[in-house]
Amino acid sequence: DSGVTQTPKHLITATGQRVTLRCSPRSGDLSVYWYQQSLDQGLQFLIQYYNGEERAKGNILERFSAQQFPDLHSELNLSSLELGDSALYFCASSAGVLTEAFFGQGTRLTVV
Amino acid sequence: QQQVKQSPQSLIVQKGGISIINCAYENTAFDYFPWYQQFPGKGPALLIAIRPDVSEKKEGRFTISFNKSAKQFSLHIMDSQPGDSATYFCAASMRETSGSRLTFGEGTQLTVNP
């Protein structure tokens, strides 16, 4: 158990809908990262938050957004969902600069 | 742009053999190179990591070899076991002020036959 908790584990939704994925980082970790894992794109970095502030953006679509709350949990919002958004979404957390990142179990999103 | 290239895509070894997975990177600003192990239905788990000031790091049966001039690094799994069967990802990141994002290789699916 990495200490990073993601909910829900599975999510099935229809095209055009909006979903929210939730992540609770390890106790004390200030950085939260979101990654998308798909068969054709591998593991892709989406966005990073540090202590409530956005710090880095990767290949994140404009339809996607995230935030980190004062209690350090984070949410990833995916809207206007398309079939191609079906993937595993992972959250990871780390204590800070160049420290190990620990991944949650992921949320499997299926868009039908 | 893919900045970390990993090979092979899949690997089959016999129990007790040595598994070797290779990665090459482009960005010389990378200064942290972890390897992750992922089992089906699970998240990636940190296995071992190295920084470019050393050429080798060993933890149990797992060894990272690092060649800074060639911009390559590899994972060696000694005495491979069926329980090692998983997907392995190399990754790289660079120092930033408040954490670091990982750039992953494409992954290697390792199968260790009993």
Side-chain angles (χ1 to χ4, degrees), chain A residues 1-2 15 27 46 52 55 58 73-74 76 80 90 94-95 100 112:
Chain A
D1 183 7
S2 67
T15 55
S27 177
L46 295 177
R55 285 307 177 111
H73 91 270
S74 178
L76 179 66
S80 303
F90 287 105
S94 69
E100 295 86 350
V112 297

Side-chain angles (χ1 to χ4, degrees), chain B residues 4-112:
Chain B
V4 180
K5 291 197 176 295
Q6 183 172 346
S7 62
Q9 188 175 7
S10 62
L11 181 61
I12 300 174
V13 300
Q14 293 299 120
K15 179 182 175 181
I18 302 173
S19 304
I20 302 174
I21 305 171
N22 300 299
C23 284
Y25 62 96
E26 300 170 1
N27 191 340
T28 55
F30 286 144
D31 55 5
Y32 175 66
F33 303 90
W35 285 88
Y36 282 82
Q37 178 189 57
Q38 186 178 27
F39 292 103
K42 303 293 185 181
L46 179 66
L47 199 58
I48 186 173
I50 197 168
R51 304 195 192 280
D53 52 344
V54 297
S55 60
E56 186 175 282
K57 182 174 181 180
K58 182 176 180 179
E59 289 184 2
R61 296 185 294 110
F62 301 92
T63 300
I64 299 179
S65 297
F66 185 82
N67 185 329
K68 188 174 182 178
S69 61
K71 294 188 287 185
Q72 295 175 346
F73 58 111
S74 61
L75 176 70
H76 295 232
I77 306 175
M78 311 299 287
D79 187 26
S80 298
Q81 299 296 313
D84 297 330
S85 297
T87 301
Y88 292 80
F89 293 93
C90 63
S93 66
M94 65 188 83
R95 183 177 299 276
E96 294 172 318
T97 56
S98 56
S100 55
R101 56 181 173 176
L102 294 164
T103 299
F104 283 91
E106 300 93 333
T108 295
Q109 189 165 350
L110 172 65
T111 302
V112 182

Side-chain angles (χ1 to χ4, degrees), chain A residues 3-4 19 38-39 42-43 47 51 68 72 95 107 112:
Chain A
V4 179
V19 297
S38 60
L39 283 176
L43 270 161
I47 196 165
N51 202 21
Q68 186 179 27
L72 300 178
T107 294
V112 297

